[in-house]
Amino acid sequence: MTRLKKFVSLAMAAMISTAIFAGCSSDKNQVTINVFNWGEYIDEDILEDFTKETGIKVNYETFATNEEMYEKVKAGTTTYDLIVPSDYMLERMIKEDLVQDINFSNLPNFKNIDEKYKNQAHDPENKYSVPYMWGTIGIIYDKTKITDNIDSWNALWDSKYKNDIFMSDDMRNSIGISLKRLGYSLNSTNEDELNKATEELIKQRNDLNAVYIGDQVKDALRSGEKNIAVIYSGDAFVLKEEEPDRFEYVIPKEGTNLWFDVWAIPKTAKHKEEAEKFLNYLLDAEVNKKNVDYIGYATPNKATFEMLDEEVKNDKAAYPDEEILQKSEVYIDLGDFRKLYNDAWLKITSR
C-alpha cells in the first residue's frame, strides 16, 4: 500500500509538472497583436471576447490625432499590426508605402460592408483598408445654457461665447472649420486662403479664449467646463443619448468634414494573418453592433445597420440628410502643401 501510494503520488506530480510546463509553453507560443486606435473608439470588452474565442491576445494602444499615429508608425519604434487612419492619412500612407495589401479571402465578413462605403477615393481599389466608422464634425452646445438657435460656424467666433468655447485639438479639423466658415474648401491649397483662415483662428483664440481639446471633450462638457464645442458626431450622439434635454448637435449650414476611419495593416506588421482574423471578427454583425452601441458612431456595416433601432437610424447626428452631405467634403492628402498647414498650426497653437 505504501509503495502504491508513493507511485500514485509520483505519477500525479509528474502529471501536474507536465501540465504546468505545457501551460507555460502555450502562453509562450500565444500570439499577441498590437493594435493602435483612437482614444475611446472601441468597446474594450470586444478585445477580451476576441481573445477568448481565438486565443490571440490584443495589446491595445491609443492616439489622439492622425499625425501622432503617422509619426509613430513611420518612426518604427513600435511595430503595430493594425492601425486606424482617417481617409486622407491612409491616402498619404499608401503613397509612402507604409501599409500593405489586405488578404480579403481571410475576411468573409467583409460582405457585410455596404457597397457605397467601398472603393472610396482614399483607397479606390479597396486593397489597403477596411471601413470602420464614418461621421461628421459639428457643434454641440448645452441648450439649457445657450438659448440661441446655432446653425453656423460663425457661432464659434461670436463674442457672446467668450471663455465658453472648445475647439478641436486637430490641425485639419480646426483649420478646415475656419476655411469652410470663410467660404473656402477645407482642402484648400491656396496660400492666401490658408493665411486668412489662420488669422481668424488666432483672433478667435486671443479674443474669445477658445481652448483646444481632444478626446477629453465629452467629460469636459458633462462637467460643464464650457457650453459649446467642436465635436465628432459619434461623441455628440453619446452625450445626446445620456442627456437628451441638455445637449444639441448641429452640422453648420456651410457644410463640414465627412470623414471615414479605416483599419489598415502597416508594412512592418509581424502578425498579418492574426490581424486579419481580428478584422473579420469586428465585421461580424453582432460584434459590430455591440461596438456601435458603445461608441455611438455611424457604421458602414449594412448587416449591423439593419439591426439598429429605428430611432438611431433616423438620428441626424449619426446619419445626416443627403442635403448636408452634399455640402460636406472628405479630407484629402495635401501633399507638399502640408508644410504650410503645419506652419499655420504652430502659429495658432503657440502663444
Side-chain angles (χ1 to χ4, degrees):
M1 287 294 292
T2 303
R3 286 181 181 180
L4 181 59
K5 286 181 181 178
K6 187 175 181 181
F7 174 78
V8 171
S9 177
L10 288 169
M12 289 181 66
M15 290 172 63
I16 293 169
S17 176
T18 300
I20 289 171
F21 282 108
C24 290
S25 175
S26 174
D27 288 344
K28 187 176 180 181
N29 294 327
Q30 189 173 41
V31 171
T32 298
I33 59 172
N34 293 318
V35 177
F36 202 24
N37 192 5
W38 296 79
E40 300 184 2
Y41 208 25
I42 200 168
D43 181 345
E44 294 194 28
D45 287 348
I46 289 172
L47 308 181
E48 295 179 12
D49 294 343
F50 173 71
T51 300
K52 289 175 185 175
E53 184 164 316
T54 66
I56 300 167
K57 288 186 177 181
V58 181
N59 178 43
Y60 188 75
E61 294 182 32
T62 63
F63 57 86
T65 68
N66 275 290
E67 287 67 29
E68 177 191 343
M69 178 275 298
Y70 165 82
E71 293 296 340
K72 285 198 75 172
V73 172
K74 190 172 179 65
T77 50
T78 304
T79 302
Y80 296 106
D81 298 296
L82 280 167
I83 54 175
V84 188
S86 298
D87 32 53
Y88 76 94
M89 186 54 74
L90 175 71
E91 184 183 355
R92 178 179 179 182
M93 296 179 88
I94 291 171
K95 290 176 184 175
E96 297 184 14
D97 199 30
L98 292 174
V99 293
Q100 60 180 295
D101 292 14
I102 293 172
N103 182 0
F104 284 91
S105 63
N106 289 332
L107 275 66
N109 287 333
F110 189 66
K111 67 181 185 296
N112 290 336
I113 295 293
D114 195 316
E115 290 298 319
K116 67 183 177 183
Y117 298 110
K118 297 177 182 178
N119 307 107
Q120 294 284 332
H122 47 271
D123 187 8
E125 297 178 39
N126 233 121
K127 291 170 58 178
Y128 302 98
S129 64
V130 170
Y132 182 45
M133 299 289 165
W134 68 276
T136 57
I137 298 166
I139 297 173
I140 193 168
Y141 61 98
D142 185 335
K143 58 189 177 184
T144 66
K145 303 286 178 61
I146 295 174
T147 56
D148 295 331
N149 180 30
I150 291 175
D151 66 354
S152 168
W153 292 120
N154 286 321
L156 300 174
W157 275 262
D158 193 323
S159 59
K160 71 172 69 173
Y161 303 128
K162 183 176 181 178
N163 300 317
D164 211 18
I165 297 169
F166 281 130
M167 289 293 289
S168 171
D169 191 18
D170 181 286
M171 178 180 75
R172 292 299 300 270
N173 288 347
S174 287
I175 293 178
I177 287 167
S178 190
L179 285 164
K180 203 73 176 169
R181 171 178 173 257
L182 294 171
Y184 308 137
S185 167
L186 48 73
N187 292 307
S188 176
T189 53
N190 180 300
E191 193 167 350
D192 287 338
E193 292 176 356
L194 177 60
N195 287 338
K196 288 176 184 176
T198 301
E199 289 167 8
E200 287 297 302
L201 286 168
I202 291 171
K203 182 180 178 183
Q204 178 209 42
R205 192 167 192 189
N206 289 337
D207 295 350
L208 275 66
N209 294 326
V211 172
Y212 286 74
I213 193 170
D215 293 330
Q216 310 87 355
V217 67
K218 292 203 298 293
D219 286 338
L221 288 166
R222 287 180 183 114
S223 64
E225 287 182 38
K226 297 188 187 300
N227 294 309
I228 184 169
V230 173
I231 197 168
Y232 289 112
S233 51
D235 289 341
F237 183 81
V238 169
L239 289 172
K240 285 181 62 183
E241 283 281 291
E242 291 174 357
E243 298 184 79
D245 295 328
R246 181 182 176 194
F247 292 111
E248 188 67 54
Y249 176 74
V250 295
I251 300 173
K253 60 187 178 184
E254 298 90 348
T256 188
N257 167 231
L258 172 62
W259 53 262
F260 298 93
D261 288 339
V262 299
W263 289 100
I265 301 177
K267 268 285 176 75
T268 54
K270 293 181 178 178
H271 304 292
K272 183 174 186 286
E273 187 175 332
E274 288 80 5
E276 289 166 346
K277 285 182 180 179
F278 182 69
L279 290 180
N280 191 59
Y281 183 77
L282 289 179
L283 288 169
D284 176 85
E286 292 281 358
V287 173
N288 188 255
K289 183 177 185 300
K290 180 178 181 180
N291 203 21
V292 169
D293 288 345
Y294 182 81
I295 63 177
Y297 283 88
T299 178
N301 190 311
K302 190 175 182 179
T304 297
F305 182 78
E306 291 170 355
M307 297 166 65
L308 299 177
D309 294 338
E310 288 301 315
E311 184 180 354
V312 175
K313 291 180 186 178
N314 295 321
D315 190 293
K316 302 308 177 188
Y319 300 94
D321 289 331
E322 189 63 30
E323 180 185 355
I324 286 292
L325 296 181
Q326 290 296 327
K327 294 181 182 178
S328 302
E329 298 176 81
V330 178
Y331 289 138
I332 62 172
D333 178 44
L334 299 167
D336 293 340
F337 203 81
R338 192 186 311 115
K339 183 181 184 307
L340 277 73
Y341 271 65
N342 290 334
D343 292 343
W345 189 240
L346 283 174
K347 290 179 186 176
I348 294 162
T349 56
S350 60
R351 68 166 193 177

